[in-house]
Amino acid sequence: MRVGLFIPCYVDQFYPQIGVATLELLEKLGCEVHFPLNQTCCGQPMANSGFEHLTGGCNSLFIDNFEGFDYIVCPSGSCTLHIKEHLHEEKREEKASTIRKRVYELTEFLTDVLKVENLEANFPHRVGLHQSCHGQRGLKLAQMSELNAPFFSKPEQLLKQVKQLDLVSLSRKDECCGFGGTFCVTEEAISVRMGQDRVKDHEDKNVEFITGGDMSCLMHLEGILRRQQSPVKVIHIAEILNSTVK
Amino acid sequence: MESKVLEHSKASEVFNKDKERVGWHDETLWFVRSKRDKAAHNIPDWELLRSTASNIKHNVLSNMHDYLVEFEKNALANGVHVHWAADAEEHNKIVHGIIAKHGVTRMVKSKSMLTEECHLNDYLAKNGVEVIDTDLGERIVQLRDEPPSHIVLPAIHLKKEDVGETFHIHLGTEKGNKDPQYLTEAARHHLRETFLTRKIALTGVNFAVAQTGEFVVCTNEGNADMGAHLADVHIACMGFEKLIPRREHLGVFLRLLARSATGQPITTYSSHFKKPREGQEMHIVIVDNGRSTQLGREDFRNSLKCIRCGACMNTCPVYRRSGGHSYHNAVAGPIGSILAPNLDMRKNADLPFASTLCGSCSNVCPVKIDIHDQLYKWRQVIVKEGYATTSKKLGMGAMTFTLSNPAIYQTGGKVGRWFMRNIPFVVNNGLNPWFKNREMPEPPKESFREWYLNNKKS
Ligand code: SF4
């Protein structure tokens, strides 16, 4: 199975360890993983700011880089959702459409395609899960608290397989953290307040780590935690799922 | 229309200065959202009910013309006067015309977001007519000379201390007394006197039934009935999207409305009005005010399905922390942000951006409006129509250029450096709003790409 590794631009630049963890994890699980070298960004920051019409270049580039893979896997729900919903190119619409169908967020790829039931991971810590909205409500990685529908959660399904991990339940289990792309600077006051409230929910439950599938949300929460000199740390779910007893 | 307003981001920055109040506002509305969840989760067919309601409204939107004609015909046959208003001004003139004909200068009004949208109170005040809002929350904000901050809970931004103070000033209650029972009693006396002396009552409309020409008004306080039953003239104002085809459809909408709004199984009073009683005069004013335009916008027409339950506001993490007034529009919150640009795109260009696109609004909406997708689409429209601020445009241009060019992206310098200069949330200077309350991420020794080239690429 040939997997194209799609690493969001800010992860490439600021959090390379998440790319490494994702790649190692997928290889451990038997995938043949390639990282197309000319990838940059999915175009979401522009599109969500109202500039979808400027994202043609990003779209062509994405198709150049990712056509021909069996699957495209990305450790970010938000970037995955953007590609799934907005990747188009007039001249190569068929290819775009194939890519839209083959792109997966990491945890759903593990639960739905690889059907992982037994992870060899170990993480002896108290952890809170931040459900990022685009992954949850967009990609439906977990049941949404608003709906009258049966519970499921792909990230939790995986975290439960991690030995010694103590997963807490939050008082607001799927409230947005307030990152929201450029929202985090254009609506600074609200964004920060939302982040502070999220952080407090985790702190009240005495977590050591906040994890999640989207580093952008975690980066925002990390910025707040560090400013408050909190001992709580953030860690991407790929790093936990890839962690072994050392 | 007024042009200078404080943008949502600025207004909510002001609102956020009082941290404790923001926390209280958030918790209060979250409590309402939780009650809604409980009520919704108690109905096994809840999701089916939502799609049924959505489909009925779909049918209405697609057959608007026919239903309006049918409704008018039946209402006329019931002895009701029917008026058509193309816009807010015409609506206000019609209402004033009816009042003037009766030579009256005072009127009671129960809750109607449409009259807020049309700024009826101001118009009537200028023409020498005094309006008393009889919904308790509306009356409180009216005494304070403020607009409602929420479509269902107009005074939700106020604590009981604030209400105590307002009543002390305007109704002469004891200073410092904030006991809700005491304050409600005072309001009751004040309003009762008003009800008895007013000849004209205006109400909103929650549902207008095409098949029968009747309309339904939902209140918890019974103030619509009280006003309408005591007055000689009853004026009901409605946006044309309030139509439903048949009476039996009320069984769907009434079940959804109160549960979505407050978590109650049903509103305390769902009053059906069909024909004027002996000697009474009844008027219905049907208003367009931009609705036809919205109906013609393919991407946004579904916003007209809205039954004004307020659930999208209660669940919205941004609304809960910015307060309704930050939205500078009669209808605040997520639904307000997709309705307002249609009314005045320049003035309301900021509103579709006052969201993280988390999607919770669309999930609670009883008529399944794709609210967050419409917010995204409005952003595209607003930018294309040239209402985005210049700085934003410039930043985006540079960003797209680099991100579409791998060579430039890769040689942008040391790791993180290009990002630190260009990506809005990590621009590394002290002026960056990110930095006010958050630390920056620290650039690592190497990017993932560099690591990959060093360790993996064979
Ligand atoms: S948009 Fe939906 S949730 Fe919001 S007020 Fe209207 S009906 Fe209620």
Side-chain angles (χ1 to χ4, degrees):
Chain A
M1 178 187 295
R2 283 184 80 238
V3 170
L5 184 60
F6 161 29
I7 296 295
C9 51
Y10 63 91
V11 169
D12 172 50
Q13 295 282 305
F14 286 102
Y15 301 98
Q17 76 276 14
I18 297 169
V20 176
T22 308
L23 186 139
E24 286 180 357
L25 182 61
L26 291 171
E27 285 186 340
K28 240 192 276 181
L29 295 166
C31 304
E32 180 195 328
V33 187
H34 299 265
F35 176 71
L37 285 164
N38 281 335
Q39 59 180 295
T40 59
C41 169
C42 62
Q44 176 173 227
M46 286 78 86
N48 278 359
S49 306
F51 294 83
E52 193 182 334
H53 61 286
L54 296 183
T55 58
C58 286
N59 282 351
S60 312
L61 198 57
F62 198 91
I63 298 173
D64 293 345
N65 276 280
F66 288 102
E67 64 172 310
F69 286 107
D70 298 327
Y71 293 99
I72 298 141
V73 177
C74 173
S76 156
S78 191
C79 302
T80 305
L81 180 69
H82 180 76
I83 291 299
K84 258 194 192 316
E85 289 189 338
H86 300 288
L87 184 78
H88 292 285
E89 193 182 43
E90 219 174 298
K91 285 197 214 105
R92 294 187 287 173
E93 194 48 38
E94 211 168 301
K95 283 183 177 153
S97 142
T98 308
I99 291 180
R100 290 200 303 273
K101 283 190 210 108
R102 292 185 182 178
V103 65
Y104 280 80
E105 182 273 346
L106 175 65
T107 62
E108 63 177 352
F109 184 70
L110 298 182
T111 58
D112 300 0
V113 179
L114 298 183
K115 305 206 188 301
V116 172
E117 278 172 5
N118 226 329
L119 271 172
E120 292 295 317
N122 189 298
F123 195 72
H125 297 284
R126 205 170 155 80
V127 176
L129 171 64
H130 176 66
Q131 291 277 16
S132 288
C133 305
H134 287 170
Q136 194 210 9
R137 297 197 184 81
L139 294 173
K140 314 231 178 326
L141 298 181
Q143 189 52 275
M144 303 159 268
S145 62
E146 299 90 2
L147 300 186
N148 184 355
F151 171 84
F152 71 91
S153 166
K154 295 175 189 181
E156 269 189 52
Q157 194 181 321
L158 295 166
L159 287 174
K160 292 227 166 90
Q161 297 173 28
V162 177
K163 286 168 203 78
Q164 298 187 68
L165 185 146
D166 181 10
L167 187 65
V168 305
S169 52
L170 299 165
S171 64
R172 296 191 193 176
K173 59 181 178 178
D174 55 8
E175 170 116 320
C176 175
C177 69
F179 171 68
T182 45
F183 179 90
C184 73
V185 287
T186 54
E187 288 268 2
E188 189 265 346
I190 303 286
S191 171
V192 164
R193 178 63 198 237
M194 286 168 70
Q196 289 169 342
D197 289 351
R198 256 339 34 245
V199 160
K200 180 150 189 313
D201 195 358
H202 288 269
E203 283 178 335
D204 287 348
K205 304 290 177 312
N206 298 315
V207 305
E208 301 167 70
F209 289 90
I210 301 176
T211 192
D214 259 297
M215 198 56 213
S216 48
C217 306
L218 295 180
M219 169 173 77
H220 161 67
L221 296 178
E222 181 184 46
I224 289 167
L225 286 165
R226 279 178 48 214
R227 178 60 61 88
Q228 295 177 346
Q229 299 185 324
S230 164
V232 176
K233 293 191 169 50
V234 303
I235 185 167
H236 190 275
I237 195 166
E239 297 175 84
I240 294 186
L241 302 180
N242 188 47
S243 61
T244 39
V245 203
K246 287 198 181 125
Chain B
M1 217 163 271
E2 67 261 60
S3 54
K4 269 268 171 278
V5 291
L6 202 57
E7 280 190 16
H8 179 276
S9 58
K10 298 277 174 331
S12 46
E13 197 180 321
V14 176
F15 187 76
N16 268 266
K17 291 226 161 80
D18 189 342
K19 290 200 163 60
E20 208 185 304
R21 188 178 275 264
V22 176
W24 166 83
H25 192 262
D26 166 63
E27 284 294 344
T28 309
L29 287 156
W30 179 260
F31 176 71
V32 184
R33 147 89 204 259
S34 309
K35 275 174 60 189
R36 172 257 169 223
D37 286 354
K38 232 183 246 151
H41 295 184
N42 270 334
I43 304 245
D45 281 347
W46 181 255
E47 303 304 332
L48 176 64
L49 210 52
R50 287 175 71 220
S51 27
T52 309
S54 187
N55 290 341
I56 295 171
K57 282 286 182 180
H58 214 86
N59 174 285
V60 171
L61 295 182
S62 307
N63 298 284
M64 190 56 86
H65 168 86
D66 297 343
Y67 286 129
L68 281 171
V69 172
E70 186 185 354
F71 178 75
E72 182 188 41
K73 190 181 102 224
N74 291 325
L76 288 173
N78 294 336
V80 179
H81 302 267
V82 179
H83 310 258
W84 298 89
D87 53 24
E89 203 189 333
E90 215 169 279
H91 161 265
N92 294 345
K93 277 191 184 143
I94 291 169
V95 173
H96 180 238
I98 301 168
I99 299 170
K101 196 182 83 193
H102 289 271
V104 180
T105 54
R106 303 194 302 175
M107 174 179 86
V108 287
K109 172 160 87 64
S110 70
K111 204 158 78 217
S112 145
M113 287 316 298
L114 176 69
T115 58
E116 294 292 338
E117 175 188 319
C118 297
H119 302 288
L120 176 71
N121 284 15
D122 289 347
Y123 179 89
L124 291 180
K126 273 187 210 125
N127 287 282
V129 178
E130 185 201 17
V131 179
I132 305 269
D133 280 312
T134 58
D135 171 274
L136 180 56
E138 287 249 317
R139 185 62 185 145
I140 295 167
V141 292
Q142 191 187 25
L143 289 172
R144 297 169 62 92
D145 203 15
E146 285 175 355
S149 69
H150 186 290
I151 57 178
V152 173
L153 313 159
I156 195 69
H157 60 292
L158 298 171
K159 294 186 170 186
K160 44 185 197 280
E161 293 81 345
D162 306 320
V163 178
E165 187 57 24
T166 307
F167 279 14
H168 169 65
I169 295 169
H170 296 277
L171 306 182
T173 55
E174 275 164 44
K175 185 155 181 69
N177 196 332
K178 53 175 188 183
D179 175 43
Q181 182 108 32
Y182 168 74
L183 295 174
T184 317
E185 197 54 36
R188 196 190 296 268
H189 283 296
H190 158 70
L191 287 173
R192 191 161 297 256
E193 187 272 331
T194 317
F195 277 125
L196 292 172
T197 55
R198 297 308 188 269
K199 298 224 166 330
I200 298 188
L202 187 145
T203 69
V205 169
N206 289 90
F207 305 100
V209 184
Q211 177 196 29
T212 58
E214 66 197 344
F215 59 94
V216 176
V217 185
C218 303
T219 70
N220 270 332
E221 296 162 25
N223 54 314
D225 312 67
M226 184 91 114
H229 293 327
L230 289 169
D232 302 334
V233 182
H234 177 185
I235 308 171
C237 300
M238 58 177 265
F240 69 48
E241 81 284 11
K242 295 290 166 201
L243 280 176
I244 56 172
R246 313 168 75 87
R247 196 185 256 173
E248 68 206 46
H249 296 145
L250 285 167
V252 173
F253 288 101
L254 291 175
R255 290 183 82 198
L256 284 166
L257 177 61
R259 286 186 174 87
S260 300
T262 57
Q264 293 165 267
I266 190 116
T267 35
T268 317
Y269 299 90
S270 304
S271 314
H272 299 238
F273 295 95
K274 187 167 184 184
K275 48 175 75 162
R277 61 167 195 276
E278 279 279 307
Q280 195 198 28
E281 209 177 285
M282 195 179 269
H283 297 263
I284 294 174
V285 189
I286 303 173
V287 182
D288 184 324
N289 201 36
R291 286 162 176 78
S292 298
T293 316
Q294 188 85 328
L295 192 59
R297 297 183 195 267
E298 206 187 324
D299 285 342
F300 305 111
R301 70 198 294 259
N302 280 352
S303 62
L304 295 172
K305 292 181 178 180
C306 176
I307 58 170
R308 302 288 191 272
C309 71
C312 57
M313 306 161 89
N314 304 337
T315 201
C316 177
V318 175
Y319 174 86
R320 277 189 259 115
R321 292 173 183 84
S322 37
H325 292 152
S326 301
Y327 292 79
H328 55 79
N329 186 56
V331 181
I335 179 65
S337 299
I338 58 173
L339 293 173
N342 176 55
L343 290 171
D344 185 340
M345 216 182 290
R346 180 181 299 279
K347 179 184 149 208
N348 299 313
D350 57 324
L351 294 182
F353 294 90
S355 161
T356 59
L357 306 180
C358 81
S360 187
C361 47
S362 308
N363 275 349
V364 294
C365 180
V367 285
K368 297 186 84 159
I369 301 172
D370 51 340
I371 308 174
H372 72 294
D373 289 332
Q374 292 194 30
L375 287 166
Y376 176 90
K377 287 174 185 163
W378 268 120
R379 292 180 185 187
Q380 315 305 325
V381 173
I382 284 164
V383 165
K384 278 205 187 130
E385 303 269 328
Y387 296 116
T389 55
T390 331
S391 60
K392 244 189 209 165
K393 262 186 249 171
L394 290 175
M396 285 299 152
M399 206 156 121
T400 347
F401 180 69
T402 307
L403 294 176
S404 320
N405 292 281
I408 299 174
Y409 172 82
Q410 286 155 18
T411 55
K414 230 178 77 184
V415 125
R417 207 197 286 154
W418 179 84
F419 262 68
M420 289 282 199
R421 273 202 311 266
N422 294 286
I423 295 289
F425 36 92
V426 288
V427 173
N428 193 12
N429 69 47
L431 297 175
N432 181 4
W434 175 278
F435 198 62
K436 262 168 80 180
N437 292 291
R438 284 166 289 207
E439 297 298 325
M440 298 290 185
E442 277 162 10
K445 285 199 307 291
E446 55 184 4
S447 67
F448 174 72
R449 194 175 169 280
E450 286 162 345
W451 175 87
Y452 186 82
L453 287 172
N454 293 335
N455 296 278
K456 281 281 169 182
K457 190 84 178 129
S458 40

